[in-house]
Amino acid sequence: EDVGPSLYFVNDSIQQVTFSSTVGVVIPCPAAGSPSAVLRWYLATGDDIYDVPHIRHVHANGTLQLYPFSPSAFNSFIHDNDYFCTAENSAGKIRSPNIRVKAVFREPYTVRVEDQRSMRGNVAVFKCLIPSSVQEYVSVVSWEKDTVSII
């Protein structure tokens, strides 16, 4: 039975993609259709995106690829921006929600405990200091003393 042309979202829950600059990322367009839809990517401003050799490429199947890059090649216009995808065929045209794409740099960091003083028998409050550059990606899951977990 022929149901006619259609357009639909395969996954419209993608809202944010955070990726490592050392690995890159591949983001499929979250839409499809029958007959096959033409998939295109845009910046949230509505501007068409274009291929940048070895930096950004839109594959024929509608997948957006951002390649690994060095910190000196960071471009916020490409590596820290909002994108969206459209799917178009004889059924019409649909637009995905904006997808926040953000590259993060893998760099060494140290988590440490803030020094505290307390008199014997009193309460001491310890604070875990995480560098601000990685704070949103790191969470404290346990405390240890001499390699023994403290609950």
Side-chain angles (χ1 to χ4, degrees):
E1 183 178 324
D2 184 19
V3 294
S6 65
L7 284 172
Y8 53 93
F9 287 108
V10 177
N11 181 1
D12 63 349
S13 64
I14 300 172
Q15 296 176 1
Q16 181 169 336
V17 175
T18 303
F19 70 99
S20 169
S21 63
T22 60
V23 177
V25 68
V26 174
I27 308 168
C29 179
S34 176
S36 293
V38 175
L39 306 173
R40 289 191 176 93
W41 283 93
Y42 300 88
L43 292 174
T45 59
D47 296 327
D48 283 315
I49 66 166
Y50 49 87
D51 282 355
V52 179
H54 310 292
I55 305 259
R56 178 177 65 194
H57 177 67
V58 179
H59 294 273
N61 67 0
T63 300
L64 172 63
Q65 182 171 9
L66 299 176
Y67 293 97
F69 63 96
S70 65
S72 63
F74 175 79
N75 180 331
S76 62
F77 192 70
I78 293 171
H79 301 113
D80 188 9
N81 210 334
D82 291 344
Y83 291 82
F84 69 87
C85 177
T86 63
E88 186 173 8
N89 67 10
S90 58
K93 185 175 186 175
I94 59 175
R95 177 194 191 279
S96 73
N98 285 355
I99 300 170
R100 181 76 185 146
V101 176
K102 182 176 183 181
V104 293
F105 297 99
R106 198 166 174 193
E107 45 189 59
Y109 66 91
T110 302
V111 175
R112 61 185 184 84
V113 176
E114 188 175 57
D115 290 337
Q116 294 294 330
R117 295 185 185 271
S118 177
M119 303 262 309
R120 185 183 300 264
N122 289 337
V123 175
V125 178
F126 294 94
K127 182 177 180 181
C128 185
L129 300 176
I130 302 168
S132 60
S133 61
V134 296
Q135 211 163 34
E136 69 180 287
Y137 310 107
V138 175
S139 55
V140 177
V141 295
S142 69
W143 286 79
E144 296 181 354
K145 178 181 179 192
D146 300 327
T147 70
V148 176
S149 286
I150 302 170
I151 307 260

